[in-house]
Amino acid sequence: MPELPEVETTRRGLQPHVVGRNIQSIDIRQPRLRWPVPGQINNLVGATVISLQRRAKYLLMHTDKGHMIWHLGMSGSMRILPQQQASVAHEHIQITFDNHTSLRYRDPRRFGALLFCKNDPLQHELLARLGPEPLSEAFNAAYLHQRCQGRNSAIKTLIMDSHIVVGIGNIYACESLFLSAINPKTRAGRISKQRCQRLVQAIKEVLRQAISQGGTTLQDFSQADGKPGYFAQSLHVYGQQGSCSRCGSKIKRITQGQRSTFYCSTCQH
DNA sequence: AAAGACACCTGTCCGC
DNA sequence: TGCGGACAGGTGTCTT
């Protein structure tokens, strides 16, 4: 489910409610997520939250006693609710703060994760070798073009590889390629630097727009206040069964790397 | 080293 | 109304 815009939306929604708060209790109702929730998480009772950071699709909650690394997987979401409010189905983790509010982590498919890190979580093995943030200066045409050299994989698969660039999932990969008029099947090594420039700009534009809309809600994503994201109405190709908004041709659906790809074969070359 | 398949898990939707 | 199958926003790991 959540790609970079949804994770960033979650971070912005949670931040004012968690920073500065003291953790009163941690309730792990279901420890079997993608990896078992480590017992050291319980060491964070009594800790004070210092900041909430995003790196790729991970949320890093820094406290004065260690760090939590959260991932929302395909179906995860996080909300702030009154401590007393009853939990709903698949609400696996509850962290209660000193002001009687609580953070709830819900994840029906359990592809998400909560990990503990004593020191700098950016050095954790899952994060240490990630590519640049797509909205940073480091992600530019020269960089992408260089990483495309000698690669036979389709450009869509390549931009979804977190070791190339982080945060781009299936929705925004499809949308970015539509916006830059590039066929998703194009071999990465055959894309000119000029087209890399167009693609980089499209990725940044799509992600910025999606963040400003609170992300994309297809089924179960919700922001930290429970509202859906509104970017779904801005999608040009992802999940579309009708015709291209630009030329009227029927949107095509193919499979790449076991994922659905949507594109317009007239507009995208 | 790179590319592709597979695994993890639950819910929803569609056709019969 | 019920059932089987396909599909879903991710990504580490294993196999070619």
Side-chain angles (χ1 to χ4, degrees):
Chain A
M1 149 214 160
E3 302 183 34
L4 186 148
E6 291 74 35
V7 179
E8 178 62 20
T9 294
T10 299
R11 188 193 71 78
R12 292 181 185 187
L14 295 179
Q15 177 171 246
H17 295 98
V18 302
V19 171
R21 296 264 71 86
N22 189 268
I23 295 173
Q24 300 294 102
S25 62
I26 299 177
D27 183 8
I28 315 237
R29 303 188 185 95
Q30 169 57 280
R32 308 196 57 165
L33 302 183
R34 178 161 195 188
W35 297 283
V37 176
Q40 300 128 289
I41 287 292
N42 292 301
N43 297 346
L44 295 173
V45 172
T48 297
V49 178
I50 297 165
S51 60
L52 186 61
Q53 176 188 12
R54 180 190 57 73
R55 169 70 173 118
K57 297 173 188 168
Y58 296 94
L59 282 175
L60 311 177
M61 188 178 290
H62 306 286
T63 83
D64 57 353
K65 290 187 167 192
H67 312 269
M68 287 181 246
I69 302 177
W70 299 85
H71 198 286
L72 299 177
M74 287 278 269
S75 58
S77 58
M78 296 166 91
R79 297 188 62 178
I80 298 289
L81 291 174
Q83 171 187 352
Q84 303 291 357
Q85 188 160 331
S87 63
V88 297
H90 307 296
E91 208 173 84
H92 306 312
I93 301 169
Q94 173 167 343
I95 294 183
T96 301
F97 298 109
D98 52 355
N99 63 347
H100 307 292
T101 64
S102 59
L103 169 66
R104 316 291 182 99
Y105 174 87
R106 178 172 187 266
D107 183 11
R109 292 179 74 180
R110 289 193 275 124
F111 287 172
L114 170 57
L115 300 173
F116 175 83
C117 199
K118 184 63 190 166
N119 300 308
D120 183 8
L122 294 176
Q123 302 306 315
H124 190 283
E125 57 177 10
L126 288 176
L127 289 97
R129 286 178 297 280
L130 292 173
E133 287 289 323
L135 293 176
S136 72
E137 292 282 319
F139 182 62
N140 56 44
Y143 168 80
L144 181 60
H145 186 63
Q146 186 266 316
R147 295 301 303 265
C148 282
Q149 296 312 299
R151 300 293 295 262
N152 275 311
S153 55
I155 185 64
K156 190 223 180 192
T157 310
L158 186 121
I159 60 172
M160 290 179 69
D161 180 346
S162 62
H163 300 288
I164 303 287
V165 56
V166 302
I168 304 167
N170 206 25
I171 295 179
Y172 301 112
C174 292
E175 294 299 312
S176 302
L177 288 162
F178 174 78
L179 225 62
S180 53
I182 296 169
N183 186 310
K185 293 185 287 188
T186 310
R187 302 285 124 190
R190 298 187 54 250
I191 296 193
S192 68
K193 190 168 174 184
Q194 190 175 16
R195 307 190 85 205
C196 282
Q197 175 67 42
R198 288 220 316 269
L199 180 53
V200 164
Q201 284 176 343
I203 287 169
K204 291 176 191 278
E205 177 66 16
V206 166
L207 295 178
R208 284 201 189 100
Q209 280 292 323
I211 290 170
S212 75
Q213 300 284 303
T216 300
T217 295
L218 295 179
Q219 294 177 34
D220 51 10
F221 173 72
S222 67
Q223 305 187 42
D225 59 7
K227 290 187 194 137
Y230 298 103
F231 194 71
Q233 58 204 49
S234 304
L235 298 176
H236 287 100
V237 287
Y238 182 86
Q240 306 300 306
Q241 298 186 308
S243 51
C244 173
S245 57
R246 190 168 161 275
C247 78
S249 308
K250 187 169 189 320
I251 297 298
K252 289 194 173 174
R253 176 185 184 145
I254 61 173
T255 297
Q256 292 181 289
Q258 294 87 236
R259 314 295 299 276
S260 289
T261 296
F262 298 85
Y263 73 109
C264 173
S265 60
T266 302
C267 294
Q268 297 175 251
H269 298 282

